[in-house]
């Protein structure tokens, strides 16, 4: 049983590493986290697939993180919408997460047309908060990787 577990673990580790450098692995994690929190349900998988293929990033890792981040995406939809409404001075609408999810489940494009203002506000709130946080996290991780490389070279 332990031997089988070790083989499965080794295969998963190999799949997630896919010969990427530390920098590319870091990009995969941060881009996946950023895209996974976008406040429009159903677009993150498409965007992650497109970005990972264009930039040659680790698709299995990115899509796995995307699925793990789904609860966080749901929790952040309303705060992003409220922030966007505040920034763009749009009147507040009393939508709930359940209402938005149900609307997306019944009709994706219908929801885009019915809740377009709210979704644009959410996208604006996401752009003004999540994107700068992701950029900052990327630069901090690059500094960490450079420091780690410097420490390893001095040994």
């Amino acid at each position: 049983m332990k031997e089988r577990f070790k083989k499965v673990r080794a295969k998963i580790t190999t799949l997630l590493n896919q010969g990427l450098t530390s920098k590319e692995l870091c990009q995969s994690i941060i881009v996946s986290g950023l895209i996974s929190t976008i406040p429009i349900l159903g677009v993150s998988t498409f965007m992650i697939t497109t970005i990972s293929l264009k930039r040659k990033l680790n698709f299995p890792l990115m899509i796995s993180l995307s699925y793990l981040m789904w609860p966080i995406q749901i929790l952040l939809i309303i705060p992003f919408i409220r922030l966007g409404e505040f920034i763009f001075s749009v009147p507040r609408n009393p939508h709930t997460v359940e209402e938005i999810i149900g609307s997306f489940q019944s009709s994706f494009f219908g929801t885009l047309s019915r809740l377009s203002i709210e979704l644009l506000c959410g996208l604006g709130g996401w752009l003004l908060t999540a994107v700068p946080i992701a950029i900052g996290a990327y630069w901090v991780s690059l500094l960490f990787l450079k420091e780690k490389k410097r420490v390893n070279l001095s040994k």
Side-chain angles (χ1 to χ4, degrees):
M1 186 70 164
K2 285 185 179 183
E3 191 63 36
R4 176 179 266 177
F5 177 73
K6 286 182 182 180
K7 285 181 183 180
V8 169
R9 183 176 172 201
K11 286 181 181 181
I12 290 172
T13 303
T14 302
L15 181 65
L16 293 178
N17 284 333
Q18 273 190 335
L20 295 177
T21 65
S22 297
K23 183 178 177 181
E24 291 168 329
L25 206 53
C26 186
Q27 286 176 352
S28 297
I29 292 168
I30 291 174
V31 168
S32 180
L34 174 66
I35 300 298
S36 296
T37 59
I38 198 165
I40 301 173
L41 298 175
V43 299
S44 59
T45 302
F46 173 75
M47 290 178 70
I48 285 172
T49 302
T50 304
I51 291 170
S52 70
L53 292 174
K54 279 191 162 228
R55 305 264 309 144
K56 294 185 172 63
L57 297 175
N58 190 323
F59 177 71
L61 175 66
M62 292 176 75
I63 206 72
S64 299
L65 286 174
S66 173
Y67 286 120
L68 291 173
M69 295 280 293
W70 190 78
I72 295 169
Q73 179 186 26
I74 298 301
L75 289 173
L76 290 176
I77 288 174
I78 297 296
F80 283 144
I81 290 173
R82 296 293 178 251
L83 179 63
E85 288 171 343
F86 174 75
I87 291 168
F88 301 121
S89 299
V90 173
R92 190 173 188 176
N93 288 315
H95 296 294
T96 64
V97 173
E98 293 83 16
E99 178 186 353
I100 294 170
I101 291 172
S103 183
F104 269 114
Q105 288 174 341
S106 65
S107 172
F108 179 79
F109 293 107
T111 302
L112 290 181
S113 66
R114 249 186 337 276
L115 300 175
S116 59
I117 298 298
E118 290 83 359
L119 294 174
L120 284 174
C121 286
L123 193 58
W126 174 79
L127 283 169
L128 292 172
T129 55
V131 173
I133 289 170
I135 291 169
Y138 179 67
W139 287 110
V140 168
S141 65
L142 285 180
L143 291 172
F144 176 75
L145 290 172
K146 285 180 183 178
E147 181 65 25
K148 183 179 176 188
K149 186 183 273 188
R150 190 181 64 77
V151 169
N152 286 340
L153 290 175
S154 66
K155 286 185 179 181

